[in-house]
Amino acid sequence: MKFRSVTVATGAARLAATVVATALIVVATFEIFWALGGSWGLSGAWGGGHDHLSVPLRVASWFAAVLLVTSAIIVLGRARYWASTDRFGILHWGTWALVGVMALSALANFASSSSVERFQNGPVALLLALLCIVVASAN
């Protein structure tokens, strides 16, 4: 019987992946809450101009939640929380794509007219982009 060896990512990459995945799951939970009709915390989302979401924005929240959970799975996979051959490079390139998405999110939040987006969401997105760089560049 032959056992396949699994390379373990560095401690820094695993910690960074854990922080990123946790943040993504928390945000996904809020997106699901808003998609189901909740309104708590909407002042820091969707431009801060809504006290409830219309049906198209609820659908967008569902879509965002799916993307966020998928991103968390990709980041955790890149940090090798499970054995994977990553045949098509989805974990590798997906994490690098997430770096770009988080960087663009940070820029968009910093450019927002909403103070919550500028002073809370912008720095958090920038931190997540930097942590994704740590994960993406790990062996």
Side-chain angles (χ1 to χ4, degrees):
M1 191 156 89
K2 185 178 179 182
F3 290 101
R4 182 176 67 169
S5 65
V6 177
T7 315
V8 177
T10 64
R14 287 180 71 105
L15 177 61
T18 302
V19 171
V20 170
T22 301
L24 293 173
I25 295 299
V26 167
V27 175
T29 303
F30 273 101
E31 293 289 353
I32 292 167
F33 173 71
W34 296 327
L36 292 173
S39 61
W40 186 79
L42 270 175
S43 62
W46 296 108
H50 301 283
D51 56 355
H52 70 283
L53 295 182
S54 63
V55 172
L57 288 180
R58 286 183 183 194
V59 171
S61 282
W62 279 114
F63 183 70
V66 169
L67 288 178
L68 290 162
V69 170
T70 302
S71 298
I73 291 168
I74 288 172
V75 167
L76 291 174
R78 178 69 179 138
R80 296 188 178 96
Y81 271 90
W82 58 82
S84 173
T85 58
D86 194 17
R87 291 181 192 216
F88 304 109
I90 292 170
L91 302 177
H92 176 77
W93 293 111
T95 305
W96 280 111
L98 194 56
V99 169
V101 168
M102 287 292 118
L104 288 174
S105 175
L107 288 174
N109 281 306
F110 284 130
S112 174
S113 61
S114 165
S115 62
V116 172
E117 288 184 341
R118 275 197 320 270
F119 299 114
Q120 175 186 311
N121 299 359
V124 169
L126 181 60
L127 175 64
L128 293 178
L130 295 173
L131 290 173
C132 283
I133 289 172
V134 171
V135 176
S137 60
N139 287 330

